[in-house]
Amino acid sequence: FNVFIIKVPSNESGASQPGTATDVQEPVIPVIMVDNYFGSTFDYAGIHRLLVATKTTVISNVLASNFPDYDMVMIIVNSNHYGGSGGMYPVASMHSASVKISAHELGHSFAGLKDEYWAGDQYAGEAINMTQQTDLLRVRWKNWIGANSVGIFQHCCGGNSSLWCKPHQYCLMQYIDAHFCSVCAEGIVERIHSLVSPIKYSNPPDGIINDTIYPLKFKLDLITPSPNTLKRIWTLNGSLFKENVDSVLIEKNDLLLGNSLSVSIEDTTQLLRVDNHIHIYYVRWSIGNSTTGVNTITGS
């Protein structure tokens, strides 16, 4: 992951505290209206800790002018008070817990995770870590039941919380001092695989290999440096050639009249427990008589 920062100065430092929250006895923090660039404010929707950058058009304009090819955004508000939010433009303050706040909010925005505290009926729905299914054999996280304290736990409290279940009782999607539970971590890994291949490029690239200078060298450049969970299997003419290396040398006496070289890259991470579902990526070359290519296969 590459992270870039765009520094955006405001006329006034901090975030507004309008004192309109209904979930606490105000004023917890002195009421103040701040002239900041993104309209960042606490007390959004009557919730004191809900810190939102309200000027979304301004945010999109800043991104378009400075870094239009972004994938994810996190707005950091120059306030030491606790707060944050998810959504299209997740937000965190400069509170000492902001690293965990940011991870929690990106859990929503990046991986589609639900809160594991009861946030209200309007936020309920079937998701990676939320369900109305209570059958141990059918629940979406059935392969994690009994491992790492994963189970089926009823939400609490208020509204229709009794109708909904979560996989864990101490996850970062509920408690700011926790880590992601196994179910949420699996969802994040699956999201990463849906967006990017672990292969940056191969050398030589696509094309028929007609080199006559031996040994021939074939190399992978992976986005994840070693050590990692990527199992690499090289095969030459259908037979195992090398394992768990990023490059191979082919000598002339290794070759037949027609030759095919391939390497499979499989993510063997223990963070995934999905039935009949694997992440394997292939690079294939033909030496001397046909084309090469890169191919991704995800079993499901």
Side-chain angles (χ1 to χ4, degrees):
F1 296 89
N2 298 307
V3 180
F4 302 86
I5 186 168
I6 303 171
K7 296 183 178 181
V8 184
S10 294
N11 291 329
E12 297 178 326
S13 180
S16 295
Q17 305 274 354
T20 55
T22 57
D23 61 336
V24 294
Q25 186 67 39
E26 294 289 354
V28 173
I29 303 169
V31 174
I32 186 173
M33 300 305 292
V34 174
D35 180 13
N36 62 56
Y37 201 79
F38 292 144
S40 300
T41 181
F42 290 90
D43 296 353
Y44 191 83
I47 302 172
H48 180 59
R49 290 181 168 181
L50 192 57
L51 174 61
V52 176
T54 61
K55 296 181 179 179
T56 55
T57 300
V58 176
I59 295 171
S60 63
N61 288 340
V62 168
L63 291 168
S65 298
N66 292 274
F67 201 88
D69 293 330
Y70 73 91
D71 295 300
M72 290 294 306
V73 176
M74 170 64 71
I75 306 295
I76 306 297
V77 178
N78 192 15
S79 169
N80 290 325
H81 300 300
Y82 185 102
S85 61
M88 179 183 295
Y89 299 124
V91 177
S93 70
M94 295 291 289
H95 187 272
S96 58
S98 260
V99 171
K100 285 297 189 77
I101 294 172
S102 299
H104 173 98
E105 302 303 352
L106 286 170
H108 291 306
S109 301
F110 179 72
L113 303 178
K114 294 287 191 179
D115 285 316
E116 294 188 17
Y117 63 86
W118 187 250
D121 292 354
Q122 67 272 32
Y123 298 109
E126 292 290 331
I128 291 168
N129 62 329
M130 190 177 202
T131 187
Q132 291 186 331
Q133 177 62 255
T134 58
D135 187 337
L136 291 172
L137 299 179
R138 299 176 65 189
V139 68
R140 64 182 66 233
W141 54 79
K142 61 185 175 66
N143 292 339
W144 287 105
I145 296 291
N148 303 330
S149 301
V150 173
I152 302 175
F153 303 99
Q154 182 179 307
H155 266 274
C156 175
C157 300
N160 292 318
S161 59
S162 62
L163 302 177
W164 294 95
C165 299
K166 58 187 177 182
H168 209 274
Q169 291 183 303
Y170 197 69
C171 175
L172 181 56
M173 296 312 295
Q174 180 171 3
Y175 295 107
I176 208 66
D177 60 344
H179 299 287
F180 286 114
C181 71
S182 296
V183 174
C184 291
E186 179 178 79
I188 293 169
V189 173
E190 288 283 77
R191 175 64 173 155
I192 294 169
H193 274 291
S194 75
L195 294 172
V196 65
S197 163
I199 307 167
K200 290 172 67 176
Y201 61 83
S202 61
N203 188 25
D206 294 359
I208 299 172
I209 309 303
N210 284 316
D211 290 353
T212 57
I213 300 175
Y214 294 93
L216 304 176
K217 185 174 182 178
F218 296 84
K219 185 179 184 299
L220 293 176
D221 189 359
L222 304 179
I223 64 172
T224 306
S226 296
N228 54 47
T229 59
L230 300 176
K231 181 180 180 181
R232 288 90 74 207
I233 301 294
W234 296 79
T235 60
L236 180 61
N237 297 323
S239 299
L240 177 65
F241 189 69
K242 296 285 184 181
E243 291 186 85
N244 296 326
V245 295
D246 293 335
S247 64
V248 296
L249 297 176
I250 304 293
E251 300 289 353
K252 188 173 183 178
N253 58 10
D254 293 323
L255 299 177
L256 305 174
L257 185 61
N259 300 274
S260 63
L261 175 69
S262 68
V263 56
S264 64
I265 301 94
E266 178 183 359
D267 189 355
T268 61
T269 176
Q270 297 302 302
L271 296 176
L272 296 180
R273 293 187 180 185
V274 184
D275 288 339
N276 302 314
H277 185 77
I278 56 177
H279 293 285
I280 301 182
Y281 306 80
Y282 289 94
V283 183
R284 297 185 175 94
W285 298 267
S286 289
I287 304 173
N289 63 352
S290 63
T291 61
T292 66
V294 178
N295 178 250
T296 300
I297 295 181
T298 299
S300 60

